[in-house]
Amino acid sequence: MRNRLIRAAVAPVAMASLLLTGCAAADEGPAADATTDALVIYNAQHEQLTEEWTAAFTEETGIEVSLRNGGDSELSNQIVTEGAASPADVFLTENSPAMSLVEDAGLFAPVDPSTLELVPEQYRPSSGAWTGIAARSTVLVYNPSMITEAELPASLMDLQDPKWKGLWGAAPSGADFQAIVSAMLAIEGDDATGAWLDGMHENATVYNNNIATMKAVNAGEVPVGVIYHYYWYRDQDGTAENSGNTKLHYFGNQDPGAFVSVSGGGVLKSSTRIDEAQQFLAWLAGTEGQTILGEGYSFEYPVSTGIPARDPLPALDTLDAPVVDPSTLNGPDVVELMTEAGLL
């Protein structure tokens, strides 16, 4: 076994707080117009998407919503710190490790069974403590002027090989990448993941986020980069300024590099508006919320059965992703391993 950091020296919440935020921008606090009459949502999903969701929900139901925007780790740690005194009614994330942190603290109310039935089992935790509301796929972005498709690694795990030194990039400080490593830990185990992270430390060029990684591949700084799919599709849908020289590669074969990260939604047990919070979560997972996602700007995947993804995304069920229970993804353990490898 690897020489792990001493857990007793760092409480789980403190360790989890080392996780940096995902791509959702952070506010300094609750929305300025927040009122006690509004449903309070701690939102780590993309602000534009959640604003579209909540505007449509309020128009349909008359239920007012107040958003507090932040990152996955920021808001999950805040909820755990606030405990039963949290003003949040609903928590939304980009990646599931933040949901697991709150679930492990026992702070979620069970999701209504009728809501869970809207989402296939692979896109929600087996515990039923929360549910998936969106999904994004891990991909390899590559520059075909620097590397051919035939030369790409067969597996994400191959990138630890010394032959890939200086040839790939990623953003290890981001919650997105840490979710990918969480899946690797669940699939491959502690030792294999630790060895891969050591190889990453030796081989990879570190960037600040997924967009910076994609830009670097586009500019020819490195031949390949590990990102989530939707950054590329969004850029292609616009000017393609940051992706025009690149293509995407999907690993498939249930490889760790084919991991599909689930964005979560849950109702806080401490909520004073649980019925309305459950109604909002059901609306997100239902036809109206998932259609907004599928047709909107974000290029994330709807997770409810029968709601198509936005063209030209490959269908979610064709990606041959590994099967991982989202509630088993462990952010604190990943931070520990990544810190030990010198990546954080």
Side-chain angles (χ1 to χ4, degrees), residues 134-208:
R136 63 277 301 278
S137 176
T138 310
V139 293
L140 202 67
V141 60
Y142 71 99
N143 189 321
S145 70
M146 302 179 70
I147 189 170
T148 67
E149 188 169 14
E151 294 171 322
L152 294 176
S155 167
L156 182 69
M157 304 303 291
D158 294 344
L159 292 175
Q160 67 187 296
D161 191 293
K163 73 178 184 180
W164 287 98
K165 185 176 179 62
L167 299 180
W168 68 285
S173 65
D176 288 350
F177 188 81
Q178 290 169 17
I180 296 169
V181 179
S182 294
M184 183 183 295
L185 182 61
I187 298 164
E188 300 291 338
D190 184 293
D191 290 347
T193 302
W196 188 86
L197 291 170
D198 287 341
M200 178 180 179
H201 183 262
E202 293 298 318
N203 295 344
T205 301
V206 170
Y207 295 99
N208 288 333

Side-chain angles (χ1 to χ4, degrees), residues 255-273:
D255 188 80
F259 168 62
V260 169
S261 182
V262 173
S263 300
V267 173
L268 275 298
K269 188 186 299 182
S270 57
S271 171
T272 59
R273 306 167 67 97

